[in-house]
Amino acid sequence: MNDAATRKLVLSHLWVAFLAFAVACVLGEYQVLERSGFITALDSPSVYFASVSTHGVLMAFVLTTFFIMGFGYTIATTTLKQPLWNKPLAWLGFWVALVGVVLAAIPLLSGNASVLYTFYPPIVAHVAFYLGATLLVVGSWVWCAIMLVMFLQWKKAHVGEPVPLAMFATTMNALLWLWTSAGVAVEVLFQLIPWSLGWIDTIDPGLARTLFAWTLHPIVYFWLIPAYIAFYVFVPKQAGGYLFSDEMARLAFIVLAVFALPIGFHHLYMDPEQAKGWKLLHAIGTFVVALPTLVTGFTVIASLEIAGRLRGGKGLFGWILSLPWTNTMVLSVILSLLMLIFGGFGGVVNASYAMNAMVHNTAWVPGHFHLIFAGTTIIMYFAVAYYLWPILTKKPLVSNSMALLQLWTWFIGMSVLTTPWHVLGLLGQPRRISTVVYNNLLTLAWKPYEFMMIFGGLILLGSACLFVYVLAKTQFNTSSETCTDELEFAEPIHAVTSLPEWLNHFTLWNKVIAVLMAISFGYPILQFFFMDTTGSSPWGF
Ligand code: HAS
Ligand code: CU
């Protein structure tokens, strides 16, 4: 990446992402402390819910969106070997999204938007929160447009050639995000904003939750896809080998995006507004969407095995030891996959209609998503940051061993945080509560786990500080040493010279998604317009 202006654009996005992340980590540690009740001076439901809402929004929307945008610009310019299309527009997207974040932060921090990151009505937030969230999404749509234009321009100039895998997946993610965000956009524009302004008196929470469910499942794959891109295009090369299969990777991205969309009702199994047949349909789709993850696990491990054997590893498992464990990308993928086994297992439990009744709305659910999002996914965001930083700043990473320490501590901290969370869920602890001190015998069993979580949170906070420190120290290093590294993409074992159009374009998949969405959400949404419902007035803290 020799274009300084693009590097500046990418760095600006990544810094917003990682600063949001650091602030959210501080809030996270406060939350486990407050909830445990060990320090009575901290007891405050209103501060707790303001904090947990800010933490969720920063992690799930700000860190992810800005990271994905910055990463996308990097992938587009490096894989297509083209300058960024319309830089002023990209900066406009950045500023619109950032203004949105600041606008939403004001009510969040002042306790006027304690609606959590899922903002389920009838809890209401100040309208500035919904407007801010809207601007953040509009800013990200600008990114989607730039990715699509660059993809199409390249295809036009390279008729019949396979689009580089990383760009194929990034464009797929941009399309996925456009489809994904439509649900929440309708909810915010037609329900939440008019209702929070008092233009309409009541809101139908059933319709709102259905629209949010449209967004809630695919959004998690929007966050995950950059991690999978790194799995496929960076890891094999960094490990010293080849990608097991380029076509398999494309197929995984397609199935991931297509089936992520029509399955959101697995968040509503226990809700009354949708009938059981629709929930079953979404349950079946949920099991289908686990398949591309299995394919990904298989392909990545096969690629690592190739690398391990090329490096002289022998025997059934000897190749694992000969992998370069001190390479941040390689260490990250190993830690990330280990967390995926358990996080994915939890997801499959959640998705199982009957077992969901046991864990829904318990501490198990935050356990699940901290493991698979804050663990599996974010570890790969770290890996990408460590890999990109020397390329973006033109300075060598200040310390590889500090980066390795940071990755290990994040893995350990997240394991110490999420294991108790799963157990507490099975012990019946509800989620979304500001205190766990009920003073009865049943909840006494929760105490040791709460203690462990505080400890896990502390390790994570230390790890997050170390991460930001390594990045800042690298970038602002005054030493004259420069780095000339360029991004390196993995080669597949079998070079891909031509591809069928369905593995190289999205026209077909857009149509498939449109049909699947019409089937899975059409009637469930339309029914609200035929039902005689009264709705709910706003309710706030
Ligand atoms: Fe989930 C709730 C189901 C994946 C995030 N999920 C959530 C929420 C979030 C979230 C944020 O069905 C909470 C929403 C809220 O606030 O209410 N989830 C799933 C399923 C999967 C899944 C089936 N979730 C994710 C990912 C997330 C995420 C990814 C973020 C990035 N989730 C649910 C359900 C709920 C839910 C219900 C609602 C719960 C409720 O009741 O509220 C699947 O995609 C998971 C597939 C993964 C696997 C694992 C395969 C393992 C592999 C590892 C191979 C490695 C090896 C080791 C062998 C099946 C591939 C190699 C070792 C070496 C040394 C190299
Ligand atoms: Cu989901």
Side-chain angles (χ1 to χ4, degrees):
M1 284 186 80
N2 290 321
D3 172 10
T6 308
R7 292 205 307 268
K8 187 176 169 200
L9 177 77
V10 172
L11 277 169
S12 307
H13 281 82
L14 297 185
W15 269 120
V16 173
F18 296 140
L19 290 177
F21 160 77
V23 173
C25 284
V26 177
L27 298 177
E29 181 58 6
Y30 152 76
Q31 285 150 213
V32 274
L33 270 174
E34 197 276 351
R35 260 162 36 99
S36 70
F38 291 149
I39 306 175
T40 42
L42 285 182
D43 281 358
S44 166
S46 55
V47 177
Y48 176 84
F49 284 111
S51 173
V52 87
S53 302
T54 313
H55 170 86
V57 167
L58 288 177
M59 290 294 199
F61 303 143
V62 184
L63 160 66
T64 50
T65 308
F66 278 89
F67 177 86
I68 292 166
M69 288 161 76
F71 187 45
Y73 292 137
T74 312
I75 293 291
T77 48
T78 49
T79 60
L80 303 184
K81 301 188 176 61
Q82 277 177 1
L84 191 71
W85 177 74
N86 211 332
K87 273 195 205 85
L89 187 65
W91 275 111
L92 181 71
F94 171 82
W95 284 110
V96 169
L98 192 59
V99 168
V101 172
V102 174
L103 191 60
I106 300 165
L108 272 170
L109 293 173
S110 57
N112 291 309
S114 299
V115 292
L116 310 184
Y117 85 108
T118 44
F119 35 97
Y120 287 139
I123 326 172
V124 70
H126 189 278
V127 70
F129 172 74
Y130 301 125
L131 290 174
T134 306
L135 289 181
L136 175 60
V137 172
V138 171
S140 70
W141 284 347
V142 170
W143 171 80
C144 294
I146 295 174
M147 291 301 103
L148 285 170
V149 169
M150 289 187 72
F151 173 87
L152 292 172
Q153 281 178 344
W154 190 90
K155 277 213 49 109
K156 210 170 158 192
H158 299 78
V159 180
E161 286 181 42
V163 180
L165 174 62
M167 187 59 193
F168 177 81
T170 302
T171 317
M172 183 93 241
N173 205 20
L175 267 176
L176 171 69
W177 179 235
L178 289 173
W179 276 102
T180 299
S181 48
V184 74
V186 172
E187 181 196 355
V188 169
L189 291 183
F190 296 103
Q191 289 194 285
L192 295 175
I193 290 181
W195 177 63
S196 67
L197 284 171
W199 295 346
I200 50 175
D201 297 333
T202 61
I203 194 167
D204 187 334
L207 174 59
R209 288 173 67 88
T210 301
L211 289 169
F212 200 86
W214 167 311
T215 299
L216 186 56
H217 192 73
I219 200 175
V220 311
Y221 291 120
F222 171 62
W223 306 333
L224 186 69
I225 282 179
Y228 280 15
I229 294 177
F231 280 2
Y232 285 116
V233 306
F234 296 144
V235 168
K237 181 81 187 170
Q238 293 297 306
Y242 296 91
L243 173 60
F244 182 68
S245 164
D246 179 287
E247 289 93 336
M248 188 97 101
R250 283 169 204 259
L251 195 62
F253 283 118
I254 291 171
V255 180
L256 206 60
V258 170
F259 277 92
L261 277 154
I263 62 172
F265 287 3
H266 62 232
H267 294 275
L268 304 181
Y269 287 156
M270 298 300 125
D271 276 38
E273 71 272 7
Q274 297 299 343
K276 58 182 183 305
W278 293 107
K279 292 175 185 169
L280 183 64
L281 191 73
H282 286 235
I284 295 167
T286 306
F287 284 98
V288 176
V289 87
L291 294 178
T293 292
L294 288 169
V295 169
T296 300
F298 176 82
T299 312
V300 175
I301 293 166
S303 307
L304 286 176
E305 182 177 349
I306 295 169
R309 295 203 186 280
L310 283 174
R311 302 172 70 91
K314 299 260 181 304
L316 200 53
F317 297 113
W319 59 269
I320 299 181
L321 295 177
S322 58
L323 289 171
W325 284 67
T326 52
N327 178 301
T328 46
M329 187 67 74
V330 174
L331 176 66
S332 301
V333 75
I334 294 168
L335 301 180
S336 173
L337 283 178
L338 286 173
M339 299 195 118
L340 184 61
I341 302 177
F342 300 104
F345 168 77
V348 174
V349 168
N350 298 342
S352 309
Y353 215 109
M355 275 196 280
N356 184 269
M358 188 172 67
V359 295
H360 181 65
N361 270 345
T362 71
W364 170 281
V365 176
H368 156 67
F369 69 73
H370 279 79
L371 195 50
I372 203 161
F373 171 63
T376 302
T377 310
I378 299 301
I379 282 190
M380 291 315 293
Y381 284 20
F382 295 150
V384 169
Y386 289 137
Y387 185 42
L388 288 187
W389 232 247
I391 293 163
L392 293 170
T393 61
K394 298 274 176 215
K395 294 190 179 152
L397 201 65
V398 72
S399 162
N400 194 58
S401 40
M402 266 194 219
L404 294 174
L405 176 70
Q406 189 272 319
L407 291 168
W408 276 112
T409 45
W410 190 261
F411 173 76
I412 294 167
M414 200 50 81
S415 307
V416 176
L417 181 79
T418 53
T419 310
W421 234 334
H422 282 90
V423 179
L424 284 166
L426 296 179
L427 289 174
Q429 186 184 90
R431 72 185 280 205
R432 306 189 181 105
I433 49 171
S434 65
T435 177
V436 296
V437 186
Y438 288 92
N439 288 327
N440 64 36
L441 275 179
L442 182 71
T443 60
L444 279 181
W446 297 351
K447 277 213 161 165
Y449 298 103
E450 293 298 329
F451 187 74
M452 257 178 92
M453 290 178 73
I454 295 173
F455 185 58
L458 267 181
I459 304 176
L460 289 168
L461 187 54
S463 179
C465 294
L466 189 56
F467 172 66
V468 175
Y469 173 79
V470 172
L471 297 189
K473 187 83 182 155
T474 300
Q475 187 167 348
F476 305 112
N477 198 347
T478 44
S479 112
S480 56
E481 214 183 328
T482 55
C483 175
T484 51
D485 289 356
E486 287 296 329
L487 272 191
E488 290 183 314
F489 294 93
E491 296 290 332
I493 310 179
H494 300 289
V496 178
T497 45
S498 69
L499 281 172
E501 217 33 22
W502 62 271
L503 279 181
N504 206 29
H505 210 329
F506 304 106
T507 325
L508 171 69
W509 302 116
N510 262 323
K511 289 180 191 157
V512 173
I513 292 174
V515 171
L516 290 178
M517 289 307 275
I519 294 172
S520 56
F521 277 91
Y523 180 80
I525 289 178
L526 278 179
Q527 63 162 343
F528 288 98
F529 298 95
F530 308 121
M531 267 193 286
D532 194 14
T533 53
T534 47
S536 172
S537 309
W539 190 84
F541 284 96

